[in-house]
């Protein structure tokens, strides 16, 4: 009972922080994505390198994460009119190239285990975590906070629907080798939850989603559910390969930050590709 209460309170606080940062916008949302990126990259390095990570590696990877996320932060895009000022973006990309150079060179002087593994884990952490969060900043800036909020809500509803339906009638394993508890019944339960929520967004709040018609909104819900499930499975694959249960213990009852944003890391790139495709094709 105590564990359920702790998990519930942590979940409520986690949702409140995200919703508050999205609605506050600008610096608040940037701070949230940077916080998620820094914590998640740190957790990723710790579990992939078996807790044998130097402070230098941690600081460099944190710096790289902050730089790449900041490159697409809306408050740094100061241009007016159709052509934005690209100076902040170019500056951040220059800084990120500098990070890559330093990260490779500094490994020559470090004695922290297998150098190739540490380099590979650093770069993978940037690709897997920092770049999708940078894309999230771009979606927030270009498509607006309401679409980002809808994305988070759909991820949560997908998880909730999958858990509720899977717990009640789940029999057929979705991906037993990676996640034995997931079922096809649970997946389709989450899928239905996402489609119903997408319908609600379209009919109840059309003013917040002007770029998507009914069918595109349903497609948006389907993309979030499918890639959110794959995102969860990808992190499960990583943890199973490393023989760890959770990425961390920062969130009582929920594990680490990486455990909470695993779905988001695949949802953001897929949603961005979907939005671009719909704008080009329709």
């Amino acid at each position: 009972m105590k564990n359920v209460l702790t998990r519930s309170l942590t979940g409520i606080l986690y949702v409140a922080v995200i919703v508050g940062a999205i609605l506050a916008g600008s610096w608040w949302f940037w701070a949230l994505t940077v916080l998620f990126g820094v914590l998640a990259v740190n957790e990723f390095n710790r579990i992939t390198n078996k807790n044998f990570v130097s402070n230098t590696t941690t600081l460099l990877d944190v710096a790289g994460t902050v730089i790449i996320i900041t490159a697409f932060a809306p408050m740094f895009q100061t241009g007016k009119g159709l052509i934005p000022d690209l100076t902040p973006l170019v500056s951040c990309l220059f800084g990120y190239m500098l990070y890559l150079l330093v990260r490779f060179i500094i490994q020559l002087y470090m004695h922290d285990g297998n150098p190739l593994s540490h380099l590979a884990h650093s770069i993978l952490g940037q690709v897997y975590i920092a770049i999708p969060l940078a894309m999230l900043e771009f979606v927030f800036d270009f498509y607006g906070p309401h679409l980002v909020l809808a994305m988070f809500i759909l991820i949560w509803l997908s998880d909730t629907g999958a858990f509720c339906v899977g717990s009640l009638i789940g029999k057929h394993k979705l991906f037993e080798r990676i996640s034995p508890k997931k079922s096809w019944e649970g997946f389709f339960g989450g899928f239905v939850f996402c489609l119903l929520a997408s319908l609600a967004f379209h009919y109840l709040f059309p003013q917040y989603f002007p770029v998507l018609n009914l069918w595109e909104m349903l497609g948006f819900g389907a993309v979030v559910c499918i890639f959110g499930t794959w995102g969860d499975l990808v992190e499960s694959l990583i943890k199973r390969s490393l023989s760890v249960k959770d990425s961390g213990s920062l969130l009582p009852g929920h594990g680490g930050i990486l455990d909470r944003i695993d779905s988001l890391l695949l949802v953001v790139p897929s949603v961005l590709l979907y939005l671009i495709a719909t704008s080009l094709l329709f």
Side-chain angles (χ1 to χ4, degrees):
M1 181 65 183
K2 182 179 179 181
N3 185 55
V4 173
L5 180 61
T6 301
R7 182 179 175 86
S8 299
L9 290 175
T10 303
I12 292 171
L13 180 61
Y14 172 75
V15 170
V17 168
I18 291 175
V19 173
I22 291 173
L23 296 180
S26 191
W27 289 98
W28 291 102
F29 187 68
W30 170 82
L32 178 71
T33 53
V34 166
L35 178 63
F36 280 177
V38 167
L39 293 174
V41 164
N42 186 51
E43 289 176 356
F44 183 80
N45 280 346
R46 183 183 60 78
I47 63 174
T48 55
N49 295 310
K50 307 294 184 182
N51 285 318
F52 193 47
V53 187
S54 70
N55 291 333
T56 303
T57 297
T58 300
L59 289 173
L60 283 173
D61 289 351
V62 163
T65 300
V66 174
I67 290 170
I68 198 66
I69 292 175
T70 301
F72 295 95
M75 66 279 188
F76 293 112
Q77 312 308 316
T78 56
K80 296 180 180 180
L82 296 176
I83 302 177
D85 179 8
L86 298 179
T87 303
L89 175 60
V90 172
S91 299
C92 287
L93 292 180
F94 176 84
Y96 194 73
M97 287 189 288
L98 181 62
Y99 152 76
L100 290 175
L101 284 172
V102 174
R103 181 64 190 89
F104 276 94
I105 294 170
I106 203 70
Q107 191 68 49
L108 294 169
Y109 304 94
M110 295 168 61
H111 305 281
D112 55 359
N114 187 319
L116 182 59
S117 294
H118 279 247
L119 280 171
H121 295 152
S122 288
I123 302 305
L124 179 58
Q126 301 294 307
V127 173
Y128 176 48
I129 298 167
I131 292 178
L133 291 176
M135 292 179 182
L136 181 61
E137 282 281 359
F138 179 81
V139 173
F140 184 91
D141 185 30
F142 199 82
Y143 294 97
H146 296 102
L147 192 75
V148 172
L149 181 58
M151 188 191 308
F152 274 100
I153 291 173
L154 289 173
I155 291 173
W156 297 331
L157 287 175
S158 177
D159 289 342
T160 302
F163 176 77
C164 293
V165 176
S167 299
L168 291 174
I169 60 173
K171 293 181 180 180
H172 301 86
K173 301 298 182 182
L174 176 66
F175 216 120
E176 189 171 10
R177 178 171 61 87
I178 302 300
S179 186
K181 293 183 179 180
K182 283 184 170 52
S183 66
W184 278 106
E185 290 85 355
F187 167 75
F188 284 114
F191 193 81
V192 171
F193 272 45
C194 282
L195 293 186
L196 291 176
S198 298
L199 285 173
F201 291 150
H202 177 76
Y203 285 111
L204 298 179
F205 309 103
Q207 69 274 24
Y208 295 136
F209 309 101
V211 298
L212 298 175
N213 61 35
L214 173 60
W215 294 108
E216 290 167 349
M217 182 60 80
L218 289 173
F220 172 63
V223 167
V224 170
C225 180
I226 293 170
F227 283 88
T229 303
W230 272 330
D232 194 337
L233 289 171
V234 166
E235 203 229 359
S236 295
L237 173 65
I238 293 171
K239 293 190 294 184
R240 185 169 288 271
S241 300
L242 299 170
S243 300
V244 296
K245 184 177 183 294
D246 296 315
S247 66
S249 56
L250 182 65
L251 302 174
H254 291 266
I257 286 294
L258 188 55
D259 294 319
R260 293 301 91 210
I261 66 170
D262 53 0
S263 296
L264 181 70
L265 298 178
L266 261 65
V267 165
V268 174
S270 63
V271 164
L272 182 55
L273 287 172
Y274 174 75
L275 293 172
I276 293 172
T278 55
S279 64
L280 293 175
L281 298 176
F282 301 104

